[in-house]
Amino acid sequence: MTGHHTATGSPFAPHTPDETAEMLSVVGADDVDDLFDIPDPVRFDGEFGIEQRSERAIKRELRETLGENADLTEFLGRGHYDHYVPSLVDHLSLRSEFLTSYTQYQPEITQGFLQVLFEYQSLLVELTGLEIANCSMYDAATALGEAATLADRVRSTDGHRVLVPELLREERRDVLENYVAGTEMTVETVPDDDGNLDIDALADRIDDDVVMVYAENPTVRGTIEESLGRIADLAHERDALFTLGTDPVALSLLKRPADVGVDVVVGDASVLGLPTSYGMGLGLFATRENFVRQVPGRLVGASEDRAGNRTYTLTLQTREQHIRKERATSNICTNQAWVALRTAIHAADLGPSGLVDLAETCVTEARDLAAAVDDVDGVQAPVHDRHHFREFVAHTDQPAPAVAGDLEAEGYAVHAVGDHELQICVTDANAGRADELVAALEEVAR
Amino acid sequence: MTKFDQARWTNEEDDQYEPLLSEKDSTEVEIDGDSPLPDDLTRDSLELPELSEPELARHYTRLSEMNYGIDSGPYPLGSCTMKYNPKFTEDVAALPDAAVHPDRSEGSVQGTLELLHGLQDYLARIGGMDAVTLQPPAGAAGEFTGILVAKAYHEANDEGHRHEVIVPESAHGTNFASAALGGYDVVELPGGDDGRVDLDALEAALSEDTAALMLTNPNTLGLFERDIEEIAEMVHDVGGLLYYDGANLNALLGRARPGDMGFDIMHYNVHKTFATPHGGGGPGAGPVGVVADLEPFLPTPRVREADDGYELFEPEETVGKVHGYQGNWLVLVKAYAYIARLGDPGLRDASAKAVLNANYLGERVDYDVPYGPYHHEFVASAGDQDAADVAKRMLDYGVHPPTTKWPEIVPEALMTEPTEIENRETLDQLAAAFNAVSVEDDGTLAAAPERTTARRIDQTSAARDLRLSWQSLEE
């Protein structure tokens, strides 16, 4: 017997038959099956019918399976964005010391990851102006849910109403509803005024029972919210928290949340670091210092070791589920740490100039593409008389689903968001194909 | 025994290991009249490090070398199931066709849907469940999903008054937190003298108010709940549901299935059982399986076969969504590839060797192991020693220590799970580390570790004097 690879076992269990026999004799069993203390009626002796394949066969299979996806140029956004991810991010984040490690419960041997997470938290502190950022939630929707439960804990009002924009991605609203399902909180909507939150409607709806007001910048329709300060004032007059949904690229250019009265920032930070990845994300969560003991998720803090050197460690763990159980600030345990690492590397690679340039590109490319689309017969864009970031809504004279379907047949994916409304998203990743999209639109939108 | 020294760079002038990026460079970019937006919509400036690519490559490479992963050495962290992560799964997750936007039309992502459907099918077979959702992005998110499904089921049956979820005291803390997040009162179930569920205590805890019992089997002591059929019957008799925490499923692969044991809902920790990288604390994925009665309540959308390919659909009485999109897709791709690599024989061999390894290592360590026989993990007691100190000292021997001080029912617990990936030689090395530490004095333990990047870290002052960003260090 030469190799460790048994013909029929797990390729990752290295025991030779001799070794197995010796180990069995040490534990005093004749057969491995004897080690299983499982009553007969619930023993499983059947087959799953899952064929064991070689690495090569699986690669071929998945190349073929995933190859069935249509080759489309995506102009899709609405909360999930594609920016070019530099090769540096892959090569460094795939270093196995990062990739194959666990939560940093032993900080003395996990200083590398802890420092990256500390740097990630610092990046968000600079971008938001808030003092506290955790080192990840799952995605924007679950981060919003956690913000609501935080607001309910820290606000002393009798009521439990949460106000969100009517122009909120349905999926985010849906997740939020589930996060508040176990509480007394209720979610209500505020209509929009030409793509921004309707301030008068907000003023009408807000009262002392509101624990949190949520807005987004940019909004799901790509407009830049122009009344953040007013929203904050209205929320604070009623002792409600103001939570803002956004992302790190937008934050590089748009108003600093702390400067306009935002109490909590949530959103998806994987716009830096991940390719589109079918919606896999990285929940961003930042807030004010006075809420630090109510923050969900993990926090990395600086400390010192015995040698007097600065080190990093997970801190305030008494908030977490492994210590406080049902009284924890959140049930989150496994989070998105490795995606946070990728986001931190991507942001560091861009640097402040690169981040601002990328954000400005998101404004200028959207503006230019909207103008070009507006020139197409049968299409008017943008429908909102606002500044835009990455994306905009266009009116189509023809039914929008049909136009989107025809565009797909030509190789382009856009959102159909209404009977006669398309939404188009442009970033550095697809801007080079924008002229082709316009040409295709000219063919199909008439 | 292996001699271990972890990498570190020390700047003796300012007592620092690898400096923060902000200490290497800091650049402030003004946002002024050249911006495409008016001033009142933009920030004034952005101040962040601006380093060259070679500088960044060295920074992150150095940090990676100051980090211990499963590729660095043994990682017998109980209940966390740290297994070797095969490299080819990263290659399949990086296939260009895997990178698609979640709002693509169903017709244009048939490959993605086919893979999701295939994984749903694999997991259903492995767990003995009728239907699976892949949406929950982590194990705890799976628990929360299961709680939402249980609640929706009871409400649909006019049993919405049920307000209690029973959780054994030794269960994962997430069970308690997830049940509470779902709005349930948590009833803690004391353990029996043999480390298993005490049927009398369970009888006392069960009532018309019981919505569910959350259980892992084998439990966190590594013990199989031999009375599982009776437990299931008792829970079902009062109208409750039985929830399976999949954290320890690795011990049962191909040996027993939660569905056959009477569990109604379960979550799978694919990042544990099916060896997808934990990535320093995530992403994971926590698919949830249910029996047929509960299928209508699963999160939307789900994937099914259609006349011509695959389609998304909304279950009739869906609880809604637990993730903005379809969960942690890249993790799911890796899980599919891993399961395919093992197939039936590999899955069965994994549990065989995981259980063999735990029993072998348990036999070899000199610390007392109060319960047995154990499956994939055992909980040793450090006795008079402080388990946290034992862990710090084990770092010096080049191994990641076990989980410590939990479950609390074993004094100074050392919860150890070697998994199937270690050979006898490594297990002997692990045992040697345990045994060397077991006879060391408190002074030696308190002074540890010495060979790691950092010496013993003061976690108390980190919590007392909070510094959570480089900005706070400058204050």
Side-chain angles (χ1 to χ4, degrees):
Chain A
M1 184 50 79
T2 51
H4 285 183
H5 302 284
T6 53
T8 55
S10 164
F12 312 115
H15 314 61
T16 61
D18 287 349
E19 195 175 4
T20 303
E22 288 163 17
M23 290 171 68
L24 280 169
S25 75
V26 170
V27 302
D30 293 333
D31 190 284
V32 174
D33 288 345
D34 298 343
L35 298 173
F36 288 87
D37 181 27
I38 301 174
D40 283 339
V42 296
R43 273 192 189 243
F44 176 74
D45 292 321
E47 291 283 321
F48 299 133
I50 300 173
E51 186 194 354
Q52 184 174 59
R53 286 93 102 187
S54 69
E55 245 191 60
R56 185 189 304 190
I58 295 163
K59 278 186 181 171
R60 187 170 55 226
E61 175 191 332
L62 290 186
R63 229 183 347 256
E64 284 172 12
T65 302
L66 293 172
E68 289 163 28
N69 287 343
D71 181 17
L72 301 179
T73 304
E74 295 172 346
F75 288 87
L76 299 169
R78 289 181 63 78
H80 194 76
Y81 304 102
D82 193 18
H83 292 292
Y84 175 74
V85 180
S87 293
L88 183 74
V89 174
D90 277 334
H91 283 266
L92 294 174
S93 70
L94 287 170
R95 287 185 63 89
S96 72
E97 301 91 334
F98 287 139
L99 185 69
T100 73
S101 60
Y102 193 68
T103 306
Q104 301 76 23
Y105 292 131
Q106 298 293 344
E108 290 85 359
I109 51 166
T110 48
Q111 282 299 295
F113 217 123
L114 285 162
Q115 184 168 335
V116 174
L117 294 174
F118 186 84
E119 293 180 348
Y120 167 80
Q121 290 174 183
S122 305
L123 167 73
L124 294 183
V125 165
E126 171 60 23
L127 287 170
T128 61
L130 298 168
E131 299 92 356
I132 307 296
N134 76 11
C135 53
S136 86
M137 317 299 306
Y138 307 127
D139 71 345
T142 55
L144 171 58
E146 300 274 7
T149 58
L150 176 133
D152 204 34
R153 285 195 297 274
V154 303
R155 281 304 184 222
S156 53
T157 61
D158 287 338
H160 304 277
R161 298 171 62 212
V162 172
L163 299 180
V164 304
E166 208 168 284
L167 285 183
L168 175 63
R169 241 194 108 96
E170 191 184 326
E171 290 83 355
R172 284 188 190 172
R173 165 91 192 258
D174 219 350
V175 173
L176 172 63
E177 293 276 10
N178 268 332
Y179 269 77
V180 305
T183 73
E184 293 177 72
M185 278 185 278
T186 55
V187 181
E188 298 163 39
T189 58
V190 180
D192 78 295
D193 172 15
D194 196 18
N196 274 192
L197 206 64
D198 183 334
I199 297 299
D200 294 335
L202 174 63
D204 283 347
R205 279 168 171 69
I206 199 163
D207 65 19
D208 290 337
D209 289 343
V210 172
V211 292
M212 184 177 98
V213 176
Y214 177 67
E216 295 185 336
N217 190 32
T219 70
V220 69
R221 286 164 85 89
T223 62
I224 294 171
E225 179 60 64
E226 293 170 19
S227 307
L228 295 172
R230 295 277 315 282
I231 299 169
D233 289 345
L234 285 168
H236 293 157
E237 281 164 19
R238 301 297 186 152
D239 198 31
L241 257 59
F242 177 26
T243 294
L244 183 73
T246 184
D247 71 66
V249 176
L251 286 171
S252 304
L253 178 63
L254 301 181
K255 265 278 181 240
R256 216 168 66 128
D259 295 342
V260 289
V262 172
D263 300 296
V264 184
V265 172
V266 297
D268 203 311
S270 71
V271 290
L272 295 177
L274 276 190
T276 43
S277 307
Y278 204 52
M280 180 161 152
L282 166 62
L284 181 172
F285 197 100
T287 189
R288 297 190 181 280
E289 201 158 30
N290 40 332
F291 302 143
V292 66
R293 284 170 201 281
Q294 293 297 330
V295 167
R298 297 212 173 98
L299 296 170
V300 175
S303 185
E304 283 187 352
D305 69 1
R306 259 174 104 93
N309 288 10
R310 193 176 65 216
T311 54
Y312 308 94
T313 180
L314 297 177
T315 195
L316 289 189
Q317 289 179 271
T318 48
R319 297 167 299 114
E320 294 187 69
Q321 39 68 33
H322 58 281
I323 294 181
R324 273 175 69 86
K325 295 185 171 179
E326 72 267 32
R327 294 182 308 282
T329 52
S330 164
N331 74 332
I332 195 165
C333 184
T334 297
N335 54 35
Q336 305 288 104
W338 183 72
V339 188
L341 176 143
R342 290 181 61 98
T343 297
I345 298 174
H346 191 168
D349 189 52
L350 288 169
S353 322
L355 281 164
V356 172
D357 282 352
L358 178 59
E360 291 184 342
T361 299
C362 291
V363 175
T364 54
E365 291 289 352
R367 182 179 293 174
D368 293 349
L369 182 55
V373 165
D374 194 46
D375 284 342
V376 174
D377 282 348
V379 188
Q380 298 90 49
V383 303
H384 297 301
D385 184 20
R386 300 283 182 189
H387 295 285
H388 287 80
F389 197 88
R390 294 195 189 102
E391 54 193 334
F392 57 90
V393 176
H395 175 89
T396 55
D397 294 343
Q398 297 295 323
V403 176
D406 290 347
L407 279 176
E408 186 174 304
E410 298 293 322
Y412 304 94
V414 301
H415 307 272
V417 294
D419 292 345
H420 289 276
E421 286 187 333
L422 293 180
Q423 189 164 332
I424 299 170
C425 177
V426 58
T427 69
D428 57 311
N430 59 7
R433 309 285 296 273
D435 290 347
E436 296 169 33
L437 173 73
V438 173
L441 201 55
E442 278 168 350
E443 294 299 316
V444 303
R446 224 176 283 265
Chain B
M1 214 181 302
T2 304
K3 185 171 179 294
F4 171 78
D5 284 288
Q6 193 175 26
R8 75 162 77 102
W9 284 264
T10 311
N11 182 342
E12 290 185 3
E13 283 155 33
D14 56 6
D15 282 342
Q16 281 186 34
Y17 302 121
E18 175 68 8
L20 290 160
L21 283 174
S22 60
E23 291 162 337
K24 297 185 174 206
D25 176 88
S26 186
T27 303
E28 185 164 10
V29 175
E30 303 286 330
I31 294 164
D32 50 27
D34 294 339
S35 168
L37 291 175
D39 278 355
D40 60 335
L41 297 179
T42 60
R43 58 193 297 143
D44 299 331
S45 64
L46 181 66
E47 184 177 354
L48 287 168
E50 184 142 36
L51 283 81
S52 70
E53 182 164 330
E55 289 174 296
L56 289 173
R58 285 195 182 141
H59 177 68
Y60 291 108
T61 299
R62 287 180 173 195
L63 292 182
S64 75
E65 289 175 356
M66 295 195 290
N67 208 70
Y68 189 94
I70 189 73
D71 286 1
S72 311
Y75 223 124
L77 196 57
S79 244
C80 301
T81 313
M82 288 293 290
K83 299 207 276 191
Y84 174 72
N85 307 128
K87 305 308 168 197
F88 83 104
T89 63
E90 293 301 324
D91 294 341
V92 296
L95 286 170
D97 288 312
V100 292
H101 192 282
D103 286 349
R104 289 263 295 249
S105 69
E106 291 163 64
S108 73
V109 289
Q110 283 295 301
T112 294
L113 298 183
E114 182 178 339
L115 193 150
L116 290 172
H117 189 266
L119 181 58
Q120 280 178 192
D121 181 43
Y122 282 174
L123 293 178
R125 294 189 210 188
I126 290 167
M129 290 283 150
D130 293 314
V132 172
T133 172
L134 304 176
Q135 198 179 105
E143 294 170 14
F144 180 50
T145 305
I147 289 291
L148 291 171
V149 166
K151 194 174 191 176
Y153 169 81
H154 287 310
E155 280 169 5
N157 291 320
D158 295 325
E159 298 266 321
H161 64 275
R162 294 178 182 273
H163 64 97
E164 290 178 351
V165 169
I166 303 172
V167 186
E169 61 179 338
S170 64
H172 300 104
T174 47
N175 286 185
F176 299 85
S178 299
L181 181 59
Y184 282 104
D185 298 324
V186 180
V187 177
E188 189 168 305
L189 187 65
D193 293 340
D194 64 351
R196 297 175 172 83
V197 169
D198 179 329
L199 296 183
D200 291 335
L202 177 61
E203 183 71 49
L206 287 167
S207 75
E208 296 283 297
D209 291 332
T210 304
L213 166 66
M214 298 177 86
L215 203 61
T216 185
N217 194 15
N219 65 26
T220 50
L221 288 166
L223 311 176
F224 193 88
E225 298 285 357
R226 288 182 296 236
D227 300 321
I228 188 61
E229 285 181 292
E230 195 169 350
I231 292 169
E233 196 178 326
M234 289 166 69
V235 172
H236 291 151
D237 278 352
V238 300
L241 295 169
L242 192 57
Y243 181 95
Y244 182 83
D245 177 335
N248 298 340
L249 183 65
N250 196 51
L252 288 193
L253 286 175
R255 311 274 159 184
R257 305 193 301 175
D260 300 337
M261 292 185 233
F263 286 92
D264 305 292
I265 314 174
M266 70 176 288
H267 81 261
Y268 306 76
N269 297 81
V270 297
H271 48 293
K272 299 181 181 187
T273 313
F274 305 113
T276 61
H278 289 51
V288 167
V290 295
V291 296
D293 285 353
L294 298 175
E295 183 171 359
F297 303 98
L298 287 177
T300 186
R302 299 194 58 232
V303 184
R304 69 181 170 202
E305 266 185 289
D307 292 342
D308 187 22
Y310 297 87
E311 65 181 12
L312 295 171
F313 73 103
E314 178 167 327
E316 297 151 47
E317 300 182 73
T318 181
V319 296
K321 290 185 66 69
V322 293
H323 185 268
Y325 300 99
Q326 287 274 37
N328 281 335
W329 157 250
L330 295 179
V331 180
L332 301 172
V333 175
K334 293 176 205 180
Y336 180 94
Y338 184 84
I339 293 171
R341 184 72 191 91
L342 263 57
D344 269 291
L347 293 166
R348 222 176 128 74
D349 191 46
S351 58
K353 301 296 166 49
V355 172
L356 175 62
N357 278 3
N359 280 278
Y360 179 81
L361 182 59
E363 190 68 35
R364 282 281 194 239
V365 301
D366 293 340
Y367 285 110
D368 181 38
V369 181
Y371 300 98
Y374 33 82
H375 281 82
H376 62 303
E377 65 191 4
F378 61 86
V379 183
S381 174
D384 295 337
Q385 292 179 324
D386 182 296
D389 284 346
V390 168
K392 295 304 179 198
R393 182 59 178 153
M394 284 188 76
L395 298 174
D396 280 333
Y397 291 95
V399 301
H400 193 289
T403 298
T404 59
K405 307 232 180 197
W406 184 77
E408 286 111 344
I409 43 182
V410 174
E412 300 302 325
L414 299 168
M415 183 197 234
T416 312
E417 181 181 11
T419 81
E420 69 273 21
I421 68 158
E422 307 299 355
N423 62 12
R424 182 183 182 178
E425 187 184 351
T426 306
L427 295 171
D428 288 341
Q429 178 200 333
L430 267 169
F434 269 99
N435 297 340
V437 176
S438 74
V439 294
E440 289 181 324
D441 59 61
D442 290 348
T444 304
L445 301 190
E450 296 181 332
R451 299 178 178 280
T452 49
T453 299
R455 301 286 301 277
R456 183 74 71 97
I457 291 174
D458 182 352
Q459 291 181 276
T460 310
S461 74
R464 197 181 300 132
D465 175 23
L466 283 175
R467 289 169 295 164
L468 305 176
S469 63
W470 62 48
Q471 293 87 345
S472 69
L473 293 173
E474 290 163 7
E475 283 167 8

